[in-house]
Amino acid sequence: MSLGSENRPLRVAIVGSGPSGFYAADSLLKSECVVDVDMFERLPVPFGLVRFGVAPDHLKIKNVTRVYDRTAQNERFSYFGNVAIGSDLTIPELREHYDAIVLAVGAASDRSLGIPGEDLVGSHAATEFVAWYNGHPDYRDCQFDLSGETAVVIGQGNVAIDVARILAKTVDELRESDIANHALEALAESKIKTIYLVGRRGPAQAAFTSAEIKEMGELADCDLRVSPADMTLSDASLTELEMSGNAGKKKNVTILTAYSQSPSENRGRVVDIRFFQSPVEITGEDRVEEIVLGTNTLTGDAGAQRASDSGERETLACGLVFRSVGYRGVAMDHVPFHEAWGVFPHENGRVMEGDAPAPGLYATGWIKRGPSGVIGTNKADSVETVGTLLGDLASLTPCSRPDSGAVRELLAERGVRVVTYEDWGKIDAAEIARGEKQGRCRDKLVTVDEMLTFLG
């Protein structure tokens, strides 16, 4: 009996319910192979990065979940929410019930700056702040001291600019979003007036999108400050802007140049974008009081310029520092892991153990390629992984117990309350109803216990 037939469907477990997981499910279910897909998610609620990573004021981006909803309606798809792989179920146990496992677990950790003072109170990973204001249950109780007047964000990618924008917005602007209530209340009392957005290279190399930087200049009560001196580009940077694929960066420079020439309107808050600077040290007695920045020069050819320390220093007084210099994956038991890269080693999505494939294990999304791209990037990435998996069909070892019912029974024996996709619909409806009472689009439930309460 061959795998992938009506008599014996291919059984695939997808670990993770973010964009890459759903795109993998969609690709599998639309293939010519007969496939049963069970998706496992540690939290009761699905969508991963879309729910907990996308900025709460970017609601249009979150509409992509409607596509995932359609995938979830397929009769061959099942959602196992509130199930942690590694504790509630292990990878070896999944192997007993599934012919293949697709790991779509994202990049849950952050990269450090590696400088003195980084561990002082008031120095945080941007990932923590993002998860906190997006209502992630693991970060509900984080504390961020917003009583000072100055915050420094290290990094110039979209996550960094999201953090700066959330800090710079008025409470009325934030109220229009689906930001978690606890964050809305804390930010309403914020005393922060100046936010520095610091990048080690220049405006031609900044990683944020033109839409993000344009939006930053349109806030209700915030000035955007860019030094005109930073907008005088070297020949190498000018050449770089003309290179293929750099149209977005060229647009960034045009927008930033316009901001650098605009007079200050003396608004309530200021976002000061600093180029050619890197953090050298964070100082303070018991908490963050200052950050020392080193001034950089760019060296190398167009397209491969690096920041080199000039030796010049500037000290900024501040009470908060957020590092946003990259995400990295976290190792899982029974899965090969590349410690230096923070990903699962793979060939076209097939997880590798040394030079040999790890039987039946596949990866997609950030845990496969690293933290790059936008939500849509995960689609092609997942299609590649699914193509590799289906290409391996003849060599896959059929699982010994091809039965999802047995998986549910095992979880029930262990006291795990499995949340179905229908259950998620109840949580979704409850959040929307709570939001309507406040004149908001949604009021997120931010603890697992709260979520389960609405399921009876």
Side-chain angles (χ1 to χ4, degrees), residues 108-303:
S109 184
D110 65 282
R111 297 188 183 277
S112 64
L113 297 171
I115 61 173
E118 186 172 8
D119 296 328
L120 282 170
V121 174
S123 173
H124 305 275
T127 53
E128 296 173 1
F129 190 60
V130 170
W132 172 76
Y133 64 58
N134 272 321
H136 194 297
D138 292 354
Y139 297 88
R140 166 65 181 88
D141 296 324
C142 286
Q143 299 292 320
F144 302 95
D145 185 355
L146 304 172
S147 63
E149 292 191 354
T150 304
V152 177
V153 182
I154 305 298
Q156 291 184 339
N158 284 342
V159 173
I161 210 167
D162 284 346
V163 169
R165 189 180 65 256
I166 294 299
L167 289 170
K169 278 198 164 186
T170 66
V171 67
D172 287 337
E173 287 174 295
L174 292 173
R175 204 173 271 121
E176 297 172 358
S177 72
D178 72 351
I179 193 169
N181 260 356
H182 60 259
L184 181 64
E185 292 168 3
L187 288 162
E189 302 298 321
S190 172
K191 305 301 182 188
I192 292 174
K193 294 182 179 180
T194 302
I195 303 109
Y196 291 96
L197 189 64
V198 179
R200 71 184 187 279
R201 295 188 292 172
Q205 293 80 36
F208 47 67
T209 63
S210 54
E212 290 265 9
I213 194 58
K214 184 174 183 293
E215 182 182 8
M216 185 67 85
E218 298 170 345
L219 303 186
D221 192 29
C222 180
D223 282 335
L224 186 62
R225 185 183 299 160
V226 180
S227 169
D230 284 349
M231 301 311 302
T232 303
L233 304 186
S234 67
D235 289 343
S237 288
L238 290 171
T239 300
E240 197 168 308
L241 292 177
E242 300 301 327
M243 294 169 65
S244 176
N246 279 357
K249 293 185 184 295
K250 190 174 184 179
K251 190 172 182 180
N252 282 351
V253 169
T254 299
I255 294 169
L256 289 164
T257 299
Y259 286 141
S260 74
Q261 297 169 351
S262 300
S264 171
E265 297 185 32
N266 297 315
R267 294 180 174 179
R269 287 175 176 153
V270 172
V271 171
D272 189 335
I273 302 183
R274 295 292 191 92
F275 296 104
F276 308 110
Q277 289 186 312
S278 295
V280 174
E281 183 181 11
I282 301 171
T283 63
E285 283 292 326
D286 300 313
R287 56 162 298 109
V288 172
E289 295 177 11
E290 294 179 335
I291 185 168
V292 181
L293 301 176
T295 301
N296 300 323
T297 57
L298 294 187
T299 59
D301 297 329

